[in-house]
């Protein structure tokens, strides 16, 4: 009994260390291929430069006293994190085909630590890209906050949102078991998730059926939190953080449960 009690805290101490080590491995990939981040930043930049500025001039989407470009910028941040994370399952399938996943599963590292490392690595990739988007938004005149606590909150929101969509991708990978099917499903659900959120327009202007979908779409809560933190728009931060934390925890658990099936 005393031995078990002594070992239990040690396991909890090792868990974050293993997650950190696996995250570090993931981040080494960013250093070797920085061009990928730059290429991925082009699409969000086009949304701000073309869609945002055009609809700001047209004034066809009611955003109250908030300029449309300011309203759009947090939504584009969430969009970029979604696009980075939703295809992370492809990486897991590649690791399975290369034999890397089987080797990782025989190590003492818990499956939840393996999945959590992927999830947080996706979040860090999203943060790196978010810096580029925020710089562009500031150059375009978006009234962004300079409060360090709010910027820290923004980083937490992006990591939680990225963690959920990364694990959702891994769950889909564990069900379909092939890159081709995963790519097809990922492409099929990405735009509905984006357009079925409040990233481009307020929930109030949506048709009733889309409002229902928006309320169960984690991306909507991510965007709502980002707007409240970055531009001071009315937001439900406590509910937003609660939904994002719960979604990330459930998704990590589901992805961990399917990891063994994926390795077969």
């Amino acid at each position: 009994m005393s031995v078990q009690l002594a070992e239990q805290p040690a396991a909890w101490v090792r868990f974050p260390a293993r997650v950190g080590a696996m995250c570090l491995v993931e981040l080494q990939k960013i250093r070797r291929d920085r061009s990928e981040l730059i290429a991925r930043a082009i699409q969000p930049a086009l949304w701000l430069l073309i869609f945002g500025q055009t609809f700001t001039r047209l004034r066809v989407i009611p955003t109250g006293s908030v300029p449309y470009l300011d309203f759009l910028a947090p939504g584009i941040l969430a969009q970029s994190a979604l696009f980075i994370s939703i295809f992370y399952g492809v990486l897991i399938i590649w690791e399975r085909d290369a034999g890397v996943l089987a080797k990782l599963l025989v190590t003492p590292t818990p499956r939840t630590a393996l999945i959590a490392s992927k999830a947080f690595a996706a979040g860090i990739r999203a943060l790196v890209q978010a810096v580029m988007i925020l710089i562009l938004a500031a150059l375009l005149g978006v009234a962004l906050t300079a409060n360090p606590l709010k910027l820290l909150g923004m980083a937490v929101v992006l990591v939680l949102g990225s963690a959920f969509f990364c694990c959702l991708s891994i769950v889909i990978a564990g069900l379909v078991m092939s890159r081709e099917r995963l790519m097809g499903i990922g492409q099929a659900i990405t735009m509905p998730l984006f357009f079925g959120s409040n990233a481009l327009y307020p929930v109030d202007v949506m048709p009733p059926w889309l409002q229902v979908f928006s309320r169960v779409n984690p991306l909507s809560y991510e965007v709502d939190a980002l707007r409240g933190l970055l531009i001071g728009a009315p937001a439900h931060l406590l509910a937003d953080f609660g939904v994002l934390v719960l979604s990330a925890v459930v998704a990590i658990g589901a992805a961990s449960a399917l990891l063994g099936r994926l390795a077969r």
Side-chain angles (χ1 to χ4, degrees):
M1 177 68 68
S2 59
V3 173
Q4 290 178 347
L5 292 175
E7 290 177 352
Q8 189 71 16
W12 282 102
V13 170
R14 290 196 301 269
F15 184 85
R18 286 171 176 167
V19 172
M22 296 300 297
C23 273
L24 196 57
V25 172
E26 291 293 311
L27 292 177
Q28 294 297 325
K29 300 172 184 176
I30 299 179
R31 290 184 55 190
R32 290 196 296 267
D33 191 12
R34 298 174 187 173
S35 60
E36 180 190 355
L37 287 173
I38 297 173
R40 285 183 179 271
I42 293 175
Q43 188 177 32
L46 291 176
W47 275 96
L48 288 175
L49 287 168
I50 299 175
F51 191 88
Q53 290 195 309
T54 300
F55 277 76
T56 298
R57 292 169 181 257
L58 292 176
R59 301 179 185 274
V60 293
I61 299 178
T63 56
S65 60
V66 179
Y68 182 70
L69 189 61
D70 292 32
F71 178 87
L72 179 66
I76 297 306
L77 273 181
Q79 178 218 46
S80 68
L82 167 66
F83 287 3
I84 285 174
S85 307
I86 200 65
F87 294 107
Y88 241 77
V90 175
L91 178 61
I92 287 284
I93 294 176
W94 178 87
E95 289 181 346
R96 180 201 64 188
D97 294 343
V100 175
L101 185 58
K103 293 177 181 178
L104 289 173
L105 288 176
V106 299
T107 67
T109 304
R111 293 180 181 181
T112 49
L114 293 173
I115 295 297
S117 67
K118 300 289 185 187
F120 288 116
I124 294 173
R125 280 178 177 262
L127 286 177
V128 173
Q129 186 162 304
V131 172
M132 295 185 280
I133 297 171
L134 288 174
I135 292 173
L136 176 60
L139 292 174
L140 292 174
V142 176
L144 298 170
T145 184
N147 186 319
L149 289 178
K150 291 186 176 181
L151 292 175
L152 178 61
M154 175 213 72
V156 173
V157 168
L158 282 176
V159 169
L160 288 173
S162 300
F164 170 76
F165 289 112
C166 169
C167 292
L168 175 62
S169 178
I170 295 173
V171 167
I172 296 171
L175 294 174
V176 302
M177 305 293 286
S178 74
R179 275 175 285 190
E180 293 76 14
R181 291 176 184 172
L182 175 59
M183 291 293 292
I185 294 175
Q187 290 171 355
I189 67 174
T190 297
M191 298 315 291
L193 284 169
F194 178 48
F195 287 110
S197 73
N198 56 353
L200 298 178
Y201 27 69
V203 176
D204 296 340
V205 305
M206 298 178 183
W209 65 269
L210 192 56
Q211 291 185 23
V212 173
F213 178 75
S214 177
R215 291 190 179 98
V216 298
N217 183 355
L219 190 66
S220 294
Y221 296 90
E222 183 178 353
V223 173
D224 188 66
L226 290 174
R227 284 206 181 103
L229 292 167
L230 288 175
I231 64 173
H236 311 86
L237 291 178
L238 188 60
D240 294 334
F241 274 95
V243 170
L244 290 172
V245 169
L246 179 61
S247 299
V249 170
V250 170
I252 289 173
S256 302
L258 285 171
L259 194 60
R261 180 176 187 271
L262 187 62
R264 292 172 193 164

